[in-house]
Amino acid sequence: VFALKDAGELAEGATAYVSLEPCNHYGRTPPCTEALIKAKVKKVVVGMVDPNPIVDSKGLERLRDAGIDVTVGVEEELCKRLNKAFIHRIVTGKPFVTLR
């Protein structure tokens, strides 16, 4: 959301690369899907689908419904490693903790 704001008009017609599926619900920020649509991006490349049941691929559907080309699964294993702590919390309900 903040990167799109910073890009301003330069985002129009661009391709956005994201490691996790953009959300389509309100949380601490408005939905990322709405920011991408408002910015008039042409394509969104998504590393992995969000495992959060609240998201449930609704972000992908919303982008496609808005006419945005969506590609999913690019560098998926890398994105899963990048989002490991988030995925663990969503799947187990417990924080991801590393001790030394």
Side-chain angles (χ1 to χ4, degrees):
V1 174
F2 298 111
L4 289 169
K5 232 181 227 185
D6 289 345
E9 292 179 7
L10 295 174
E12 186 172 341
T15 299
Y17 294 86
V18 296
S19 61
L20 188 66
E21 171 187 357
C23 67
N24 194 44
H25 64 278
Y26 284 85
R28 283 181 261 168
T29 62
C32 297
T33 53
E34 295 307 312
L36 289 161
I37 293 164
K38 185 178 177 183
K40 299 180 183 174
V41 299
K42 182 178 179 180
K43 182 175 182 174
V44 178
V45 178
V46 180
M48 63 173 283
V49 173
D50 192 329
N52 188 338
I54 294 171
V55 178
D56 193 29
S57 295
K58 293 181 187 109
L60 303 175
E61 291 173 22
R62 177 70 182 105
L63 294 173
R64 288 181 177 129
D65 289 347
I68 296 174
D69 183 26
V70 178
T71 302
V72 181
V74 175
E75 296 287 348
E76 186 171 12
E77 289 307 312
L78 178 63
C79 291
K80 284 181 179 179
R81 286 195 309 271
L82 179 68
N83 293 305
K84 187 175 182 176
F86 170 75
I87 294 167
H88 179 80
R89 186 183 62 76
I90 291 297
V91 173
T92 68
K94 299 175 183 176
F96 183 81
V97 179
T98 302
L99 298 173
R100 288 184 175 214

